[in-house]
Amino acid sequence: MDEADKRDDDGPEISLIGQIRDKLIGRKQDWSREGRGLTGATAPPAQRLPPGQRLVTDWPVLDLGVQPEVPKAAFRLAIDGAVANPVTLDWDGFMALPQQDSVSDMHCVTTWSRYDNHWRGVSIRTILDLVRPHPEATHVLFESYDDYTTNLRLDQFAAEDCYLVHSWEGKPLTRQHGGPVRVLVPRYYLWKSAKWVRRITFATADRKGFWETRGYNNNADPWAEERYA
């Protein structure tokens, strides 16, 4: 259970965190109902900045009001479901996999974009080779250490620009941005790139995640402005 979901009798600090979390969630659900940021435009991916986005040079922090602290010694990433070789990786096991550098843009549903982010991590192609999804696998579900979930089609996840990243701009990924490890799926709105990832489940059917069940689009293509359902 998430710390923010504990009952009030666990103490005033936990209660306050829960109130902040609920307020943040409610505000983003309001954005969905109001269609915040929608311009009604679409564009081809060749247009680098998707419709309705603005460029930033910092990296805004957005989460559910809780930033779990996951020491590397306690880190575990389970990869399971419809795969031939389910695994659970600790930090050393994760870092023993082939490491690669990548450069990509990122786009947040709250209308900001940041160009040319330098990442280091493990390619999803490496993960696929490791666990060997069954032919009937069509989707993946991510679970995070703050109990957040989100979903993708397997073909979206298997794209060559997708990674599990641990470093950004030459430094370890900070806690506030999803460290020690987060998903990176740069061609879709950033809520699909789950922070603090702890489990990746391959599935034979789709299952909507946290925001997808709260009014956000299930596909999340920035160039089609798929912000909300």
Side-chain angles (χ1 to χ4, degrees), residues 9-223:
D9 57 9
D10 284 329
E13 183 177 353
I14 296 300
S15 177
L16 178 59
I17 291 172
Q19 292 173 28
I20 293 171
R21 181 179 187 271
D22 290 346
K23 185 176 180 180
L24 289 169
I25 293 169
R27 186 171 68 208
K28 291 184 179 180
Q29 286 183 274
D30 288 342
W31 293 351
S32 171
R33 286 188 288 267
E34 296 164 2
R36 183 182 186 271
L38 289 175
T39 67
T42 60
Q47 176 182 304
R48 190 174 186 184
L49 188 66
Q53 297 293 108
R54 60 184 174 83
L55 283 180
V56 300
T57 55
D58 60 344
W59 186 356
V61 177
L62 296 168
D63 51 48
L64 298 182
V66 176
Q67 297 175 356
E69 185 171 358
V70 186
K72 291 176 181 177
F75 172 78
R76 297 293 184 275
L77 174 61
I79 309 175
D80 58 16
V83 298
N85 181 41
V87 298
T88 297
L89 300 170
D90 61 11
W91 181 255
D92 289 341
F94 177 74
M95 294 301 293
L97 296 174
Q99 304 289 314
Q100 296 183 27
D101 295 311
S102 176
V103 180
S104 59
D105 302 341
M106 54 181 167
H107 310 287
C108 182
V109 69
T110 59
T111 73
W112 61 262
S113 294
R114 191 182 191 282
Y115 287 168
D116 295 325
N117 299 278
H118 294 77
W119 310 95
R120 186 165 179 79
V122 176
S123 167
I124 298 306
R125 300 289 184 87
T126 296
I127 298 297
L128 297 178
D129 289 343
L130 175 65
V131 301
R132 305 194 305 279
H134 293 161
E136 60 269 25
T138 58
H139 290 80
V140 289
L141 180 73
F142 307 108
E143 298 179 23
S144 301
Y145 276 92
D146 65 344
D147 292 336
Y148 177 78
T149 60
T150 192
N151 58 317
L152 281 172
R153 296 192 318 271
L154 180 52
D155 65 287
Q156 294 172 314
F157 186 51
E160 63 181 1
D161 58 356
C162 295
Y163 288 81
L164 301 179
V165 295
H166 57 76
S167 297
W168 177 74
E169 300 302 328
K171 297 179 180 179
L173 198 61
T174 62
R175 173 183 174 186
Q176 65 182 349
H177 289 308
V181 176
R182 72 173 294 159
V183 179
L184 176 66
V185 187
R187 288 187 292 168
Y188 297 89
Y189 285 124
L190 204 54
W191 88 76
K192 293 290 189 179
S193 296
K195 297 179 178 182
W196 310 294
V197 65
R198 70 177 179 189
R199 187 178 185 186
I200 301 172
T201 300
F202 289 78
T204 59
D206 194 16
R207 190 170 77 196
K208 292 182 178 181
F210 184 90
W211 286 121
E212 291 82 8
T213 61
R214 289 168 170 81
Y216 281 56
N217 190 280
N218 201 41
N219 193 56
D221 182 345
W223 288 269

